[in-house]
C-alpha cells in the first residue's frame, strides 16, 4: 500500500502525448516509422526534452544520446529511481512500443507536480537510444552500453546498412551529448510497456507483473553458393544460395518448435546480393535469432543451429558463415521491485498476473546493475512491431497508475 492510494495520473493528458508524438514519423497506415537517430527521432527527442523541461526536469544527454530527465528528491544523497523506455520504432512500428513507457514516466512526473508531491529519492525519466536494434545492432544499445556490456567507442563506430556510423547519426541530429556513458546512477529501474503478445488480452487481465525476460541470441549470416544460368544449369549441378536459405529457415522454425513452447526462432532479414530472375542466386546475407526464457534451451538451440548449418552446407556444396553478434542471457527481475509492482496493481484494484517478457527491453540491461522490474498492459490482438499496433486508453492509464504507485513505493513519496 502506497502513502497516497487515491492518486491517479491524467489519462487524457497521457493519451494526448502519445498521439502527439505519433506525428513524428507517422505512416499512411496509421503506424510510426522512427528509426533510431533518424530525423524523426531527432524531432521526437526535441519534443520530449522541451516537455521534460516544462515539467521542471533537468535534462542531460550522454555520448550515445541516452536522455536523462532529473527531478530532485528530498534526500539528494540517494541515487535516483530510473523509469522510462524508448522513443525509437521499428521501420513499420506502432504508436505504443516504447512510447507508452517513456511518456507514462513523464505523466507520472506531471501528476506528482500537480499534486505537490516530493519523493525522498530523486527521480530520473529515461529515453534510451536504439532499443529496437533494426537500424544499428545490437538492440538495447544505449542501455547495454550504460551498464558496461559494450564500450561507447565500440557503439559509436557501428554502421547501419547505409554505412553511416552511430557517431555520425548522433551528430546529424545533435544528440551526441556531453555526459559520460554510464555516469548516471540509479537506485532502481521500472519500465512500463505494452505486452506485445496475446496473453493479457486473452485472459482479460489488465496488468502483467513481469518477473523474467527471455534470453536472446542474434546472428548475421552469409550463404555463398554459385551464380549460374537459370535455364541451362541442371538441378543437380546447382549451388543455389536461396534454396539453401529456404531450407535453413525451415530448420530454424523446426528447432524452435521442437524446443517449444518456450522457444522462438526467426529469420527477419534476407538479401540476395545481385538478384536477377534468370540467375541462380549465388550470395545471400540474412539475420536470424532465437529466444527462450531458459538458458539451457538457448544453448541447445545455438548448438542445434551449428549442426544443421554444417549438414546443409556440406550436402548443398555451399558455404554458410554465421556470426553470433549478440547474446543476452535470460533476465530475472528483482523480487522487491516485482513486489512493488504487484502491490501497486493490488492497491489500485487491477487484475494482474505474473509474466515472462517475450520481447527485449532496456529493463533487461538495467537489471544487471540495479533492482529492476517491468509492468505490462494489453495490446490489441497481441500485435506489435506492426503499424496496426494498438492499445486501449484505459489500459495505458492503468499501466501508468501502476507505474506511479510503484515509483511512490520505491522512491518514497509524500505530500510536500
Ligand atoms: C525489440 O523490440 C526486440 O524485442 O527485439
Ligand atoms: Mn519496446
Ligand atoms: Mn520493439
Amino acid at each position: 500500500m502506497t502513502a497516497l492510494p487515491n492518486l491517479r495520473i491524467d489519462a487524457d493528458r497521457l493519451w494526448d502525448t502519445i498521439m502527439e508524438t505519433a506525428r513524428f514519423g507517422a505512416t499512411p497506415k496509421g503506424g510510426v516509422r522512427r528509426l533510431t537517430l533518424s530525423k524523426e527521432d531527432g524531432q521526437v527527442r526535441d519534443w520530449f526534452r522541451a516537455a521534460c523541461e516544462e515539467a521542471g526536469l533537468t535534462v542531460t544527454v550522454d555520448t550515445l544520446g541516452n536522455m536523462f530527465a532529473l527531478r530532485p528528491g528530498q534526500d539528494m544523497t540517494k541515487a535516483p529511481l530510473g523509469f522510462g523506455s524508448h522513443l525509437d520504432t521499428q521501420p513499420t512500428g506502432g504508436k505504443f512500443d516504447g512510447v507508452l513507457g517513456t511518456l507514462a514516466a513523464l505523466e507520472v512526473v506531471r501528476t506528482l507536480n500537480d499534486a505537490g508531491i516530493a519523493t525522498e529519492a530523486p527521480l530520473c525519466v529515461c529515453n534510451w537510444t536504439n532499443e529496437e536494434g533494426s537500424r544499428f545492432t545490437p538492440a538495447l544499445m544505449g542501455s547495454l552500453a550504460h551498464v558496461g556490456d559494450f564500450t561507447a567507442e565500440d557503439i559509436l563506430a557501428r554502421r547501419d546498412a547505409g554505412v553511416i556510423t552511430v557517431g555520425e547519426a548522433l551528430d546529424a541530429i545533435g544528440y551526441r551529448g556531453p555526459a559520460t556513458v554510464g555516469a548516471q546512477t540509479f537506485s532502481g529501474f521500472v519500465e512500463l510497456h505494452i505486452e506485445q503478445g496475446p496473453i493479457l488480452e486473452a485472459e482479460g487481465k489488465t496488468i502483467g507483473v513481469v518477473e523474467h525476460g527471455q534470453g536472446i541470441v542474434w546472428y548475421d549470416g552469409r550463404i555463398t553458393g554459385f551464380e549460374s544460368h537459370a535455364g541451362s544449369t541442371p538441378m543437380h549441378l546447382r549451388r543455389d544460395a536461396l534454396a539453401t536459405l529456404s531450407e535453413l529457415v525451415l530448420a530454424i522454425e523446426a528447432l524452435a518448435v521442437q524446443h517449444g513452447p518456450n522457444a522462438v526462432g526467426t529469420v527477419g532479414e534476407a538479401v540476395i546480393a545481385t538478384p536477377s530472375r534468370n540467375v541462380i542466386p549465388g550470395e545471400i546475407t540474412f539475420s536470424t535469432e532465437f529466444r527462450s526464457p531458459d538458458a539451457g534451451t538457448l544453448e541447445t538451440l545455438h548448438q542445434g543451429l551449428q549442426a544443421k548449418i554444417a549438414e546443409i552446407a556440406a550436402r548443398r556444396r555451399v558455404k554458410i558463415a554465421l556470426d553470433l553478434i549478440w547474446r543476452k542471457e535470460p533476465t530475472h527481475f528483482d523480487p522487491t521491485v516485482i513486489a512493488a509492482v504487484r502491490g501497486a496493481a493490488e492497491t489500485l484494484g487491477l487484475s494482474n498476473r505474473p509474466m515472462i517478457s517475450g520481447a527485449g527491453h532496456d529493463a533487461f540491461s538495467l537489471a544487471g546493475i540495479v533492482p529492476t522490474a517491468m509492468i505490462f498492459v494489453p495490446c490489441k490482438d497481441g500485435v506489435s512491431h506492426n503499424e496496426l499496433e494498438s492499445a486501449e486508453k484505459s489500459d495505458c492509464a492503468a499501466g501508468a497508475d501502476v507505474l506511479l504507485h510503484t515509483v511512490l513505493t520505491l522512491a518514497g513519496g509524500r505530500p510536500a
Side-chain angles (χ1 to χ4, degrees), residues 331-403:
T331 300
H332 305 287
F333 287 125
D334 179 78
T336 308
V337 186
I338 292 169
V341 171
R342 187 178 299 110
E346 295 290 337
T347 297
L348 295 164
L350 296 167
S351 58
N352 61 89
R353 75 173 331 266
M355 296 204 72
I356 296 171
S357 173
H361 298 287
D362 296 305
F364 292 15
S365 310
L366 274 293
I369 58 164
V370 286
T372 297
M374 293 189 71
I375 305 157
F376 276 177
V377 291
C379 55
K380 190 170 184 315
D381 302 326
V383 170
S384 184
H385 286 190
N386 187 310
E387 291 160 283
L388 296 177
E389 181 186 271
S390 178
E392 293 294 330
K393 182 172 166 180
S394 57
D395 288 334
C396 293
D401 278 330
V402 173
L403 181 65

Side-chain angles (χ1 to χ4, degrees), residues 86 88 90 97-98 131-132 193 196 359-360 384-385:
H86 62 98
D88 65 316
Q90 289 287 323
D97 174 359
E131 188 274 351
E132 294 291 2
H193 208 283
Q196 308 185 274
S384 184
H385 286 190

Side-chain angles (χ1 to χ4, degrees), residues 78-84 121-126 128 146 184-191 333-334 336-337 363 366-373 406-407 410-411:
K78 289 203 155 110
L81 175 69
F83 57 141
L123 303 180
C124 182
V125 176
C126 304
W128 299 103
H146 179 88
Q184 177 62 58
T185 57
F186 297 104
S187 57
F189 188 78
V190 194
E191 182 170 356
F333 287 125
D334 179 78
T336 308
V337 186
L366 274 293
I369 58 164
V370 286
T372 297
T406 303
V407 165
L410 297 174

Side-chain angles (χ1 to χ4, degrees), residues 158-195:
R158 292 192 177 221
R159 291 178 190 278
D160 67 6
V163 302
I164 294 169
T165 65
V166 169
E168 288 162 353
L170 282 162
D171 290 337
I173 60 166
Y175 273 88
R176 193 199 292 238
T180 304
V181 174
Q184 177 62 58
T185 57
F186 297 104
S187 57
F189 188 78
V190 194
E191 182 170 356
L192 166 65
H193 208 283
I194 54 167
E195 179 198 338

